[in-house]
Amino acid sequence: MQTSSNKTSKTSNKHCLIDVEHLSVHFEGYKALDDISFQVDEGDFVYVIGPNGSGKSTLLATLTGLLEPTSGKVRVDTKGGIGYLPQKLFNKRNIPITVEEVIYSGFDKQYLHIKEVQRKQIEKWLHTMQIEHTLKMPIDKLSGGQQQRVYLIRALINKPRLVLLDEPTSALDPGFRDHFNQLLESLHRLGITILYITHDLHEYQDENKKVLYVDQKIHYYGSVKEYKCIHEGGHTHV
């Protein structure tokens, strides 16, 4: 596995949003992440890949502050907000919370009653995600794929500058995945920085995107195009 020779492909005219230095995260002696360093610039689109149990989800949870590093430094520019979709979604039964309420919790500013402008934003996103009929439904009555769309909306509703997605299409049906990937492309064109954990690079557009291959350590960090040239003739499953 080739490792990028530089800490990043950082250029002087880009603002660094994520700066990780010698990060290690251990759980009772197990090294989930072991001395990794990298940077992500504003406007980057980075696919985070690696085998199961390689530390990908641990990395994103550490970037959000949900996990504390065992050692090393993590600096994330939170100005402009962060949208985060974890791998494990809310799935408890018999808790009376609606789709509207779940999404509303993603707003920075919340009120006793939902403002009309916020409700319109929620309804617009539900339409974009093709589940507008679920607005008043209890979240636990939705299918796994519908729940994933709701939590995607929650991650994006506040127009964050940085979005961290942990396998966001895992429960989506194939027909909707193309629609969702096109949505991400449009968000990226607007300048949103995206870190996206995935297992199938071949189904995505490659232009101007990067790969961060993590397996406890960083084994590659560079362009998708170069990665695909090196590995498996352009069809990469990890």
Side-chain angles (χ1 to χ4, degrees):
M1 180 74 66
Q2 177 176 337
T3 304
S4 175
S5 59
N6 297 321
K7 185 177 179 181
T8 66
S9 54
K10 182 176 173 61
T11 56
S12 59
N13 62 343
K14 285 190 174 183
H15 175 64
C16 179
L17 283 188
I18 298 173
D19 188 6
V20 175
E21 294 185 356
H22 302 291
L23 169 66
S24 293
V25 180
H26 300 171
F27 301 108
E28 297 180 354
Y30 172 72
K31 295 181 179 180
L33 296 170
D34 185 19
D35 193 24
I36 68 170
S37 298
F38 69 96
Q39 291 177 328
V40 176
D41 290 331
E42 187 169 19
D44 280 351
F45 193 126
V46 182
Y47 294 116
V48 183
I49 66 173
N52 290 334
S54 62
K56 304 184 299 296
S57 296
T58 297
L59 174 59
L60 261 60
T62 305
L63 293 177
T64 64
L66 293 174
L67 290 176
E68 289 291 330
T70 303
S71 61
K73 296 180 180 179
V74 175
R75 289 185 287 271
V76 180
D77 185 346
T78 58
K79 185 178 179 181
I82 298 176
Y84 174 50
L85 178 74
Q87 186 177 36
K88 294 183 179 179
L89 303 178
F90 173 93
N91 59 5
K92 292 183 179 179
R93 298 290 176 180
N94 301 318
I95 294 182
I97 183 170
T98 66
V99 166
E100 183 178 43
E101 290 167 335
V102 170
I103 298 172
Y104 185 59
S105 69
F107 283 102
D108 278 346
K109 292 184 178 180
Q110 298 170 31
Y111 307 91
L112 182 61
H113 300 287
I114 299 176
K115 300 289 186 181
E116 185 61 24
V117 64
Q118 293 174 319
R119 179 172 284 105
K120 287 183 177 179
Q121 281 182 260
I122 293 171
E123 291 174 348
K124 182 178 179 180
W125 270 107
L126 287 171
H127 177 75
T128 297
M129 292 292 185
Q130 302 176 2
I131 51 170
E132 53 266 42
H133 64 285
T134 67
L135 178 66
K136 297 295 184 180
M137 291 177 62
I139 188 68
D140 66 350
K141 300 300 182 184
L142 272 58
S143 69
Q146 289 174 328
Q147 286 191 17
Q148 194 157 32
R149 296 187 207 188
V150 170
Y151 282 97
L152 281 167
I153 296 171
R154 185 185 183 279
L156 298 170
I157 193 69
N158 213 42
K159 300 178 181 178
R161 183 186 189 188
L162 172 64
V163 176
L164 309 175
L165 304 173
D166 194 342
E167 297 191 48
T169 64
S170 60
L172 301 181
D173 62 83
F176 186 78
R177 287 183 187 180
D178 289 341
H179 176 74
F180 173 68
N181 290 327
Q182 290 171 13
L183 172 62
L184 283 190
E185 291 290 335
S186 66
L187 294 175
H188 185 226
R189 286 194 294 270
L190 291 173
I192 293 176
T193 305
I194 299 171
L195 268 71
Y196 186 157
I197 292 180
T198 184
H199 284 278
D200 294 304
L201 281 179
H202 69 279
E203 68 179 72
Y204 304 118
Q205 296 184 35
D206 304 340
E207 188 175 358
N208 300 321
K209 296 184 177 63
K210 299 177 181 179
V211 168
L212 178 66
Y213 190 110
V214 178
D215 191 1
Q216 280 71 56
K217 296 179 178 292
I218 291 178
H219 294 268
Y220 177 89
Y221 187 41
S223 73
V224 174
K225 183 177 180 180
E226 181 182 359
Y227 182 86
K228 287 186 174 182
C229 287
I230 296 170
H231 299 278
E232 301 183 20
H235 295 284
T236 303
H237 301 270
V238 293

